[in-house]
Amino acid sequence: MNDRPIAIALFGAFISLSLAITWWAARRTHSRREFYSAGGELRGFQNGLAIAGDYTSAATFLGVTGLVYSSGFDGLIYAIGFLMAWPLILFLIAEPLRNLGRYTFADVTSYRLSALPMRGFATISTLVIVTCYLITQMVAAGNLVQTLFGITYPLAVLLVGVLMTLYVAFGGMLATTWVQIIKAVLLLSGTILMVALICSRFGFNLNSLIRTAVVLHPKHAAILAPGGFIKDPWSAVSLGIALIFGTAGLPHILMRFFTVPNARQARNSVLVATSFIALFYTLLFILGFGAIAVLGSDPGARDALQKAGSNMVALYLANVLGGPVLFGFISAVAFSTILAVVSGLTIAGASAVSHDLYASILRRGKAKDHEEMVVSKLAVCALGAVSVALGLLFEHQNIAYMVGLTFAVSASANFPVILMSLAWKGTTSRGAVSGGVVGLISSVGLVILSPGVWTSVLGLAHAPFPLENPAIISCPAALLTIWITSALDQSRTAEKERAAFAGQFIRGELGINP
Amino acid sequence: MPQSKKLGEGPDPGRFPSANQSGDDQDDRDLTRRVASHASFKTLVRERFALRLILSAIVILTYFSFILLVAFSPSSLATPVTANSVVSVGIALGVGLILLSVVLTAIYVWRANKRFEALTQQVLKGINK
């Protein structure tokens, strides 16, 4: 494409702006409280936008649009699962989480349970989730930046790795938050603009837009109903469990709740985030149908897309709708989207290492503020290096299973532990850790035995586990293990932990902050 | 000890070491009991628990009904909403669920910011008198 100069200029503008923010944020980040949680003083509205910016990845923006373009209705199934997780987070965990925690979700699970096992488990599960998610994002970023700006894949991955390391290591949560807020605003305005341009071509009549799409799409009316995306009922339910409960266990999402001062602002953030994400997914759906209707009548674009893959739908559409300027703008938006998400993941991973592993386990809570900050920054650099290395390693791998794996681990390892430690008095450390470990091992193990890895990656014949997603087994297995092990736990510690529930419950409900 | 402990003076969340000592501390046990038996606290817990339960049940039931419809009866989602409409039942349901998520979230936040916040303040005032 000969329209790269505009894309590169806009992309340069975004990088300069985000680095300026990092410089500004670095001067305001002196303590670990500022580093991990931006001082805990964000408004609910700001945090809501940042959550939306953290949650809507380039994979959703490009992926869901591409999925709607290629199979219509099926794109909606993913979008609804991702969205309906949000009201559940609010009803089940958001308020006590805010009231009991400080920097990481392990603060909450170890509030009355033993610190060493709970934080040790949280460190491992956080790093597994963050690493898997980072691999997905880095590979997507490498391919995207390579296509958009004409640089090589390794250079693209390195660029993303260096930028995210700079943001997080110097600017901490404050810089990460503002990168996410700006990205959320850019992403939504870019999408609104494209949807407006599409609708103007169809006289702002959605009926005529859908009708044109049905006529032009090779599958015709089949795009208005579920298609081949859901292969069998059990896979559908399993994917549903992973999507709706997985979000409530993602460490980078949970961490965002500690940036607001109280439960009221935490609630407001969820409302802002849910509204934003709902609007965004609705627009993506129109965008996908618009892509069918607009690009479908253009054989040149259709053939080019066949080669480039469905992830490029949104970008081709931008080119057709608004020429090189809109193409450049949407490219820069996609790039900012990647940076915002990887930064959120990096700070969550780094704080698990510095706050849970180093300060709480290795130093038993005696680490000084600045020591913990130094470890955190080192962890950020290490995570940056690891994600670049993994991005390079996985370039030619089939990683289609990776997002499903991330959500399955989150729904099976973190979510049950958090929910049970908050909601059930009987939960003990022994129960929580054994349940979490069962969830972690069974979800990872079953994914390896599933067709997505066994057949597609390892090239072995018949996959021992038939479903693509393990959550239908691993999530209940974890909950059940927590329940049984806790109920059988007769130790002295267990008694103390049950007795401490009343105090935890009151604090979780009333939210008295020191 | 001249005065019994007040709410808000508890140890920081996430403090170290984590095993909660409140069960061993007479003041803390006393405070916990006073809050737990406070009438407004009981009302708060009861009403909030009921609302959380109802709204979560709505989310889980509607979501998994949708997923089961997709899985077991895709053809029923393909039928048009009205005879001469291009919008299918599936798309209408999907958009309905998206709206439902926002509405349920808004209901909870509205209720919590009005009623639950007021009850919380009542408890805090009553205990710290």
Side-chain angles (χ1 to χ4, degrees):
Chain A
M1 265 168 256
N2 54 1
D3 29 25
R4 271 182 194 139
I6 299 172
I8 292 174
L10 286 167
F11 152 79
F14 176 77
I15 293 184
S16 320
L17 177 65
S18 56
L19 287 175
I21 288 171
T22 307
W23 179 76
W24 166 84
R27 295 179 16 164
R28 278 161 185 75
T29 303
H30 306 291
S31 66
R32 64 179 166 207
R33 186 171 140 82
E34 285 156 346
F35 185 81
Y36 292 134
S37 66
E41 294 300 332
L42 291 182
R43 308 275 311 153
F45 185 75
Q46 293 173 318
N47 190 40
L49 280 183
I51 289 175
D54 210 357
Y55 194 58
T56 50
S57 63
T60 16
F61 175 52
L62 305 175
V64 171
T65 315
L67 195 57
V68 176
Y69 174 78
S70 55
S71 48
F73 182 85
D74 288 353
L76 201 59
I77 301 172
Y78 250 112
I80 287 173
F82 282 136
L83 175 68
M84 290 193 88
W86 280 98
L88 267 193
I89 289 184
L90 175 63
F91 308 149
L92 297 179
I93 59 172
E95 293 163 301
L97 187 83
R98 167 57 261 172
N99 288 340
L100 293 164
R102 213 181 193 189
Y103 306 137
T104 64
F105 77 86
D107 291 344
V108 179
T109 53
S110 65
Y111 186 84
R112 74 183 160 106
L113 304 179
S114 309
L116 262 53
M118 295 314 293
R119 288 187 190 270
F121 167 73
T123 309
I124 294 167
S125 72
T126 299
L127 288 179
V128 170
I129 293 169
V130 165
T131 311
C132 290
Y133 218 0
L134 272 174
I135 292 174
T136 326
Q137 298 294 326
M138 289 309 264
V139 173
N143 285 319
L144 186 69
V145 176
Q146 183 184 19
T147 320
L148 297 184
F149 309 113
I151 56 179
T152 62
Y153 179 91
L155 196 62
V157 168
L158 189 67
L159 179 73
V160 173
V162 168
L163 282 172
M164 78 180 193
T165 308
L166 286 176
Y167 296 160
V168 182
F170 290 102
M173 187 52 107
L174 193 57
T176 306
T177 302
W178 280 103
V179 168
Q180 288 168 345
I181 291 177
I182 292 173
K183 163 259 169 106
V185 172
L186 282 177
L187 186 58
L188 191 61
S189 30
T191 317
I192 290 177
L193 182 62
M194 280 174 72
V195 166
L197 287 172
I198 290 169
C199 289
S200 71
R201 290 196 172 200
F202 295 90
F204 291 93
N205 180 343
L206 276 182
N207 250 343
S208 94
L209 167 65
I210 295 177
R211 196 163 282 137
T212 317
V214 169
V215 171
L216 289 174
H217 198 283
K219 292 178 194 157
H220 300 295
I223 59 172
L224 300 175
F229 177 65
I230 296 293
K231 290 184 196 73
D232 66 294
W234 293 115
S235 287
V237 175
S238 200
L239 177 72
I241 293 175
L243 292 182
I244 201 165
F245 296 124
T247 307
L250 293 175
H252 62 298
I253 294 294
L254 297 175
M255 200 178 174
R256 289 236 53 96
F257 285 103
F258 304 123
T259 63
V260 291
N262 50 43
R264 187 190 185 112
Q265 298 300 331
R267 289 193 291 269
N268 294 345
S269 358
V270 179
L271 182 57
V272 172
T274 308
S275 314
F276 182 101
I277 297 167
L279 176 61
F280 177 64
Y281 283 155
T282 312
L283 292 175
L284 279 193
F285 198 64
I286 303 177
L287 205 62
F289 270 87
I292 301 171
V294 173
L295 300 178
S297 55
D298 181 345
R302 213 164 47 190
D303 291 344
L305 265 177
Q306 208 98 53
K307 261 184 267 161
S310 66
N311 269 348
M312 291 295 150
V313 170
L315 296 159
Y316 274 82
L317 184 61
N319 203 23
V320 171
L321 290 173
V325 177
L326 190 62
F327 175 82
F329 177 63
I330 297 297
S331 304
V333 167
F335 184 73
S336 72
T337 289
I338 290 171
L339 282 174
V341 175
V342 292
S343 305
L345 287 166
T346 306
I347 195 162
S351 32
V353 172
S354 59
H355 185 62
D356 296 327
L357 181 64
Y358 170 76
S360 310
I361 297 180
L362 298 178
R363 297 288 304 274
R364 305 285 163 122
K366 295 195 177 67
K368 292 201 178 65
D369 206 293
H370 71 269
E371 290 173 329
E372 198 176 323
M373 292 253 300
V374 169
V375 173
S376 206
K377 290 180 179 195
L378 289 175
V380 170
C381 298
L383 267 175
V386 167
S387 46
V388 169
L390 289 173
L392 297 176
L393 198 66
F394 279 82
E395 178 183 357
H396 299 295
Q397 303 288 318
N398 177 350
I399 54 162
Y401 61 91
M402 205 69 98
V403 173
L405 171 67
T406 312
F407 277 80
V409 171
S410 182
S412 317
N414 283 356
F415 172 72
V417 171
I418 296 169
L419 182 73
M420 292 295 267
S421 74
L422 286 177
W424 186 43
K425 180 183 184 219
T427 308
T428 69
S429 305
R430 207 178 280 175
V433 171
S434 50
V437 169
V438 164
L440 181 62
I441 292 177
S442 62
S443 52
V444 175
L446 289 175
V447 167
I448 294 173
L449 300 178
S450 76
V453 175
W454 195 263
T455 321
S456 310
V457 178
L458 302 175
L460 298 167
H462 187 70
F465 183 68
L467 306 180
E468 292 287 350
N469 198 293
I472 195 170
I473 309 275
S474 53
C475 178
L479 287 166
L480 213 61
T481 312
I482 296 176
W483 179 52
I484 294 172
T485 320
S486 299
L488 294 176
D489 190 350
Q490 301 293 336
S491 61
R492 251 186 65 81
T493 340
E495 255 165 63
K496 268 192 180 168
E497 287 165 352
R498 290 186 197 112
F501 181 79
Q504 173 191 302
F505 182 72
I506 287 172
R507 190 182 195 106
E509 289 289 306
L510 294 181
I512 326 115
N513 282 310
Chain B
M1 283 291 189
Q3 210 186 350
S4 70
K5 198 161 171 162
K6 285 187 175 181
L7 268 180
E9 291 176 354
D12 292 357
R15 73 230 170 284
F16 316 99
S18 89
N20 195 313
Q21 304 300 314
S22 67
D24 303 332
D25 184 84
Q26 182 58 45
D27 276 353
D28 272 353
R29 249 187 307 183
D30 197 45
L31 183 72
T32 305
R33 211 170 18 241
R34 275 195 295 145
V35 176
S37 58
H38 195 284
S40 297
F41 184 71
K42 285 183 182 165
T43 316
L44 171 69
V45 169
R46 196 181 54 239
E47 288 186 10
R48 183 146 65 184
F49 181 75
L51 187 64
R52 283 175 176 167
L53 198 69
I54 293 167
L55 295 181
S56 305
I58 295 176
V59 170
I60 291 175
L61 286 178
T62 52
Y63 176 65
F64 283 102
S65 314
F66 177 74
I67 291 289
L68 289 174
L69 263 172
V70 167
F72 286 102
S73 178
S75 56
S76 70
L77 296 177
T79 46
V81 181
T82 56
N84 53 1
S85 165
V86 285
V87 176
S88 65
V89 172
I91 290 180
L93 275 179
V95 173
L97 283 183
I98 290 179
L99 280 177
L100 183 74
S101 311
V102 179
V103 170
L104 294 182
T105 308
I107 288 175
Y108 184 83
V109 170
W110 176 78
R111 181 86 180 140
N113 286 351
K114 296 264 177 221
R115 172 84 177 152
F116 302 153
E117 201 70 26
L119 283 169
T120 304
Q121 291 312 318
Q122 276 177 30
V123 180
L124 295 185
K125 263 186 217 140
I127 297 295
N128 283 342
K129 252 198 305 244

